[in-house]
Amino acid sequence: MAIVGGFDIHRRQVTFDYLDTITGQVRRGRITPACRETLRHWLERFAGCEDVTFAVEGCTGWRFVVEELQRAGITALLAEPAETAERRGPKRRAKTDKADARHLRTLVAEGRVPCSWIPPEHVSELRALLQLYADLRQEHVAWAQRIHATLFHLGVPSLAGQLSDPEIRARLAGAGTETGLSPAGAQAVQVALKMMDHLETELAPVHAQIRAFARRQPGCKALARELYGVGPLVAAIIWAFLGDARRFSSSAQAVRHAGLDVTVWSSDGKGPPGHLSHQGPPILRFSSAVAVSGCIGVAFHRRSRRADGAVVVPPLCLLSDARAGGGYGARHMDGLGSRCLAGERRRGGSPSAARTGMPARAAGG
């Protein structure tokens, strides 16, 4: 390689460090401000160079850097942050922006960059749209929780699961002291309802965009066809955030990518209990976790009791069945996960599942 380098991205500046392998000259510095236009102008110095490679960590801001590198005809490598840090070695060293850029440049020169998959533009756009939907849904859930907290704090009977009822909303919107709410409490509830109405207005077109994309994209249609109960929203999440499945040699790698694998640290049989690694896309992990936690109860309720009410199937059997990707547990996991995330009212499922509050929790991922 003629020129190898690395970028360390921050909101105010992009620190660079690159080496000309022919002359041995090393250049370091900062690109300010950290924006697309400034970076595009800086990359003009490599016009006409055929063999230029830069690496950048997959943190916030990587997208515009990679896109500008590709636009300039430069090979872009997206480094996985955790593995990149691990390849520094066990010795503690000073960590600075210059050191991070130099470390990336060294990995590129040695061919040891732990590369991540760079999604195409249409996949990145869908990811941004899904994240927007999740953020809006999370805000919607937060306002609903504020209403429930206010009602409970003032001693008003619980309305859990009833805020979507137009009659309940109308009664709360015109609530006064006769309902048990104080003037300030009634005002807080009315403002929260207005915010929920506004968020629902913004959510509807975003949800419609995602559904339209999932219904015409072959990968999403295959997921909905092959996995019973998967709706357009869940199919779009899996397709967008799982990425190119050909890079996984086993299902265990896909589980680890979602951050659902159990991490254990122990020595001589002693150590804390295992916990989820929490690596990978949060929206993919959270939607999968909520689907599992809800569907296990549904599937267990349907399969685990005989006519006399005796329990015959332990829940862990259903959990392993669902994780294996087949069987009854897996099908109902996908079905409930779709309803949890999209708020869809599809056929099937347990009536009790709708009362668990899963749709509200699932959207926060």
Side-chain angles (χ1 to χ4, degrees), residues 142-156 189:
W143 283 107
Q145 291 173 341
R146 292 186 182 99
I147 293 177
H148 292 308
T150 302
L151 295 178
F152 176 71
H153 188 60
L154 296 177
V156 179
V189 170

Tab-separated table of all heavy atoms in Angstrom, residues 142-156 189:
chain	number	residue	atom	x	y	z
A	142	ALA	N	-42.762	7.220	27.392
A	142	ALA	CA	-42.388	8.005	28.564
A	142	ALA	C	-43.527	8.917	29.013
A	142	ALA	O	-43.799	9.055	30.220
A	142	ALA	CB	-41.140	8.839	28.244
A	143	TRP	N	-44.237	9.539	28.066
A	143	TRP	CA	-45.362	10.400	28.437
A	143	TRP	C	-46.506	9.582	29.018
A	143	TRP	O	-47.186	10.027	29.957
A	143	TRP	CB	-45.838	11.205	27.239
A	143	TRP	CG	-44.953	12.366	26.926
A	143	TRP	CD1	-44.087	12.508	25.886
A	143	TRP	CD2	-44.832	13.566	27.703
A	143	TRP	NE1	-43.436	13.706	25.946
A	143	TRP	CE2	-43.877	14.384	27.048
A	143	TRP	CE3	-45.431	14.035	28.857
A	143	TRP	CZ2	-43.507	15.631	27.538
A	143	TRP	CZ3	-45.077	15.294	29.343
A	143	TRP	CH2	-44.124	16.069	28.687
A	144	ALA	N	-46.737	8.393	28.482
A	144	ALA	CA	-47.779	7.525	29.052
A	144	ALA	C	-47.429	7.130	30.483
A	144	ALA	O	-48.298	7.090	31.370
A	144	ALA	CB	-47.956	6.288	28.176
A	145	GLN	N	-46.143	6.850	30.720
A	145	GLN	CA	-45.729	6.493	32.074
A	145	GLN	C	-45.876	7.668	33.029
A	145	GLN	O	-46.217	7.485	34.207
A	145	GLN	CB	-44.279	6.005	32.046
A	145	GLN	CG	-44.110	4.665	31.352
A	145	GLN	CD	-42.654	4.276	31.174
A	145	GLN	OE1	-41.763	5.130	31.235
A	145	GLN	NE2	-42.403	3.004	30.943
A	146	ARG	N	-45.647	8.875	32.532
A	146	ARG	CA	-45.852	10.056	33.387
A	146	ARG	C	-47.316	10.188	33.786
A	146	ARG	O	-47.636	10.568	34.921
A	146	ARG	CB	-45.387	11.317	32.654
A	146	ARG	CG	-43.879	11.400	32.444
A	146	ARG	CD	-43.491	12.742	31.842
A	146	ARG	NE	-42.059	12.816	31.583
A	146	ARG	CZ	-41.501	12.619	30.400
A	146	ARG	NH1	-42.272	12.345	29.357
A	146	ARG	NH2	-40.203	12.698	30.248
A	147	ILE	N	-48.214	9.893	32.857
A	147	ILE	CA	-49.643	9.949	33.184
A	147	ILE	C	-49.980	8.942	34.258
A	147	ILE	O	-50.672	9.250	35.250
A	147	ILE	CB	-50.491	9.716	31.923
A	147	ILE	CG1	-50.328	10.884	30.949
A	147	ILE	CG2	-51.966	9.540	32.291
A	147	ILE	CD1	-51.067	10.695	29.648
A	148	HIS	N	-49.511	7.707	34.096
A	148	HIS	CA	-49.791	6.668	35.094
A	148	HIS	C	-49.222	7.052	36.459
A	148	HIS	O	-49.872	6.835	37.495
A	148	HIS	CB	-49.213	5.332	34.638
A	148	HIS	CG	-49.905	4.748	33.443
A	148	HIS	ND1	-51.270	4.584	33.385
A	148	HIS	CD2	-49.412	4.277	32.272
A	148	HIS	CE1	-51.599	4.040	32.213
A	148	HIS	NE2	-50.487	3.855	31.525
A	149	ALA	N	-48.014	7.623	36.462
A	149	ALA	CA	-47.411	8.012	37.739
A	149	ALA	C	-48.214	9.127	38.409
A	149	ALA	O	-48.422	9.113	39.628
A	149	ALA	CB	-45.967	8.463	37.502
A	150	THR	N	-48.673	10.087	37.625
A	150	THR	CA	-49.461	11.190	38.181
A	150	THR	C	-50.783	10.687	38.755
A	150	THR	O	-51.199	11.094	39.852
A	150	THR	CB	-49.731	12.250	37.099
A	150	THR	OG1	-48.484	12.730	36.588
A	150	THR	CG2	-50.529	13.420	37.665
A	151	LEU	N	-51.439	9.805	38.009
A	151	LEU	CA	-52.716	9.260	38.495
A	151	LEU	C	-52.529	8.486	39.793
A	151	LEU	O	-53.313	8.625	40.738
A	151	LEU	CB	-53.325	8.357	37.423
A	151	LEU	CG	-53.738	9.042	36.106
A	151	LEU	CD1	-54.285	8.007	35.129
A	151	LEU	CD2	-54.775	10.131	36.355
A	152	PHE	N	-51.479	7.678	39.854
A	152	PHE	CA	-51.246	6.889	41.062
A	152	PHE	C	-50.876	7.793	42.234
A	152	PHE	O	-51.330	7.580	43.368
A	152	PHE	CB	-50.132	5.873	40.809
A	152	PHE	CG	-49.757	5.085	42.026
A	152	PHE	CD1	-50.608	4.118	42.544
A	152	PHE	CD2	-48.550	5.323	42.676
A	152	PHE	CE1	-50.266	3.401	43.678
A	152	PHE	CE2	-48.205	4.608	43.809
A	152	PHE	CZ	-49.057	3.643	44.313
A	153	HIS	N	-50.070	8.810	41.967
A	153	HIS	CA	-49.616	9.700	43.042
A	153	HIS	C	-50.782	10.449	43.662
A	153	HIS	O	-50.761	10.756	44.864
A	153	HIS	CB	-48.591	10.690	42.475
A	153	HIS	CG	-47.916	11.517	43.516
A	153	HIS	ND1	-47.164	10.975	44.544
A	153	HIS	CD2	-47.875	12.877	43.707
A	153	HIS	CE1	-46.702	11.929	45.314
A	153	HIS	NE2	-47.116	13.107	44.827
A	154	LEU	N	-51.812	10.733	42.862
A	154	LEU	CA	-52.974	11.476	43.364
A	154	LEU	C	-54.133	10.560	43.729
A	154	LEU	O	-55.231	11.039	44.009
A	154	LEU	CB	-53.420	12.505	42.321
A	154	LEU	CG	-52.391	13.602	42.016
A	154	LEU	CD1	-52.885	14.520	40.915
A	154	LEU	CD2	-52.080	14.408	43.278
A	155	GLY	N	-53.882	9.245	43.682
A	155	GLY	CA	-54.900	8.309	44.155
A	155	GLY	C	-56.034	8.047	43.197
A	155	GLY	O	-57.108	7.601	43.608
A	156	VAL	N	-55.831	8.292	41.911
A	156	VAL	CA	-56.861	8.021	40.912
A	156	VAL	C	-56.753	6.561	40.499
A	156	VAL	O	-55.649	6.034	40.369
A	156	VAL	CB	-56.686	8.951	39.690
A	156	VAL	CG1	-57.735	8.668	38.629
A	156	VAL	CG2	-56.761	10.406	40.143
A	189	VAL	N	-51.598	16.043	33.209
A	189	VAL	CA	-52.176	14.965	32.411
A	189	VAL	C	-52.605	15.474	31.047
A	189	VAL	O	-52.392	14.814	30.013
A	189	VAL	CB	-53.364	14.325	33.158
A	189	VAL	CG1	-54.130	13.371	32.238
A	189	VAL	CG2	-52.870	13.561	34.378
